Amino acid sequence: MTSSETDRTHRTDQPDDSVTEELAGLRDSIDNIDAAVVHMLAERFKCTQRVGRLKADHHLPPADPAREARQITRLRELAQDAKLDPAFAEKLLNFIIAEVIRHHERIADEVSTRNDTGSR
């Protein structure tokens, strides 16, 4: 371990008040952003639930690979413009898409079961 690494790992000095205040302010902003992300995802999933219901009612497949590919390309471009790692953005969207498809499959199963029991 170098002496600068030793200094950093053994430093017991408390940061001055301005650093503590800046850190608290940044953390407050992060907390607000996290809350906004959760609310935006909730709104997105409300819409995708409606899409899933529409697809199930009209016997459309839960997944739409062509749309998903277009969305991934679009999101990668948006990420790059925003100075966000496009690979990270793609991983995030793929995770969301997988969850949406899972929801659509569940909705399709529910509609199918309802139709099967309702037609007897």
Side-chain angles (χ1 to χ4, degrees), residues 8 23-24 36 47 62 66 73 75 77-78 83 87 89 92 103 109 113:
R8 282 195 305 266
L23 186 59
C47 290
T73 298
L75 194 71
E77 290 170 0
L78 288 170
K83 309 291 188 259
L92 178 61
H103 290 180
D109 287 346
T113 300

Side-chain angles (χ1 to χ4, degrees), residues 34-119:
D34 288 347
V37 168
V38 167
H39 287 281
M40 286 189 292
L41 284 171
E43 285 302 311
R44 188 185 196 289
F45 277 98
K46 285 178 190 175
C47 290
T48 61
Q49 293 289 345
R50 291 172 52 198
V51 167
R53 173 73 54 202
L54 190 61
K55 285 180 170 184
D57 289 345
H58 294 278
H59 309 288
L60 297 171
D64 184 345
R67 165 139 170 94
E68 293 156 19
R70 287 190 308 271
Q71 285 298 93
I72 288 169
T73 298
R74 180 177 163 271
L75 194 71
R76 286 184 66 92
E77 290 170 0
L78 288 170
Q80 194 161 1
D81 290 347
K83 309 291 188 259
L84 179 68
D85 179 8
F88 169 76
E90 182 174 348
K91 287 177 191 174
L92 178 61
L93 185 60
N94 281 327
F95 177 78
I96 292 169
I97 288 170
E99 187 67 9
V100 167
I101 291 170
R102 191 177 69 75
H103 290 180
H104 289 185
E105 289 169 343
R106 188 195 76 235
I107 292 167
D109 287 346
E110 290 170 0
V111 167
S112 177
T113 300
R114 186 182 68 227
N115 290 342
D116 288 348
T117 59
S119 62

